[in-house]
Amino acid sequence: MTHKPILVVEDSMEDFTALGRAFRKHALPNPLLRCEDGDQALEYLQGYGKHPGWPQQLPAFVLLDLNLPGTDGRAVLGTLKQDPQLCSIPVIIFSTSTNVRDIEECYRLGANSYLTKPIEYATLEEKTKLLVRYWLDTAELPLMS
């Protein structure tokens, strides 16, 4: 059985590395794919399969940072949730922002969840454990190719 990838849209290599380490600790069978900015994420999601070496499969879910170079996370979220072929992919915002306006705007745009990036690595491990448990073990996700 192949496991759908998880797409992480994150410009910080340090944050992506810590996230990958936390996911591996919980024996995540899904490959992590990284896009460094919003433009690359949209290119991948809207033209998936055109990227050499990347699976020709939509992700199980997207972990999306808000403050990205180029097209920011809000614009990516809005585009995904308006696209009939992509709108059912769960999008989890993973940002340092605790601004109430950011949180409200993301939910208004269709975010499925909003998580604040923790400063402490132990808290990151706990959040990834809960994330995996809910989105991959508990929730019923749509069947998309």
Side-chain angles (χ1 to χ4, degrees):
M1 174 180 174
T2 55
H3 296 278
K4 287 184 167 194
I6 294 171
L7 181 61
V8 179
V9 186
E10 173 60 64
D11 59 323
S12 165
M13 186 58 176
E14 183 179 298
D15 286 353
F16 179 74
T17 301
L19 193 59
R21 195 170 358 130
F23 274 124
R24 280 190 303 280
K25 180 171 181 162
H26 303 298
L28 178 73
N30 307 63
L32 288 183
L33 300 178
R34 177 181 179 220
C35 288
E36 296 177 20
D37 59 42
D39 297 313
Q40 188 181 41
L42 288 173
E43 181 182 320
Y44 171 70
L45 289 164
Q46 292 176 326
Y48 64 100
K50 295 180 184 175
H51 296 269
W54 285 36
Q56 295 186 353
Q57 182 176 48
L58 289 171
F61 62 83
V62 175
L63 274 180
L64 178 62
D65 190 11
L66 283 185
N67 300 311
L68 298 166
T71 302
D72 75 356
R74 293 161 200 80
V76 171
L77 174 62
T79 300
L80 294 181
K81 292 304 179 176
Q82 291 176 6
D83 185 319
Q85 294 181 311
L86 302 173
C87 65
S88 60
I89 299 171
V91 178
I92 297 122
I93 303 301
F94 197 60
S95 176
T96 56
S97 175
T98 57
N99 185 311
V100 173
R101 288 183 188 167
D102 285 339
I103 296 167
E104 288 176 355
E105 180 181 15
C106 287
Y107 279 112
R108 185 181 54 74
L109 290 170
N112 297 90
S113 188
Y114 192 108
L115 300 174
T116 304
K117 288 181 188 177
I119 295 171
E120 301 287 327
Y121 180 74
T123 307
L124 176 66
E125 280 187 358
E126 183 60 27
K127 282 191 177 194
T128 57
K129 177 182 173 183
L130 294 171
L131 189 70
V132 167
R133 186 177 295 153
Y134 180 75
W135 288 105
L136 298 177
D137 297 336
T138 305
E140 296 296 333
L141 298 177
L143 295 176
M144 299 172 293
S145 33

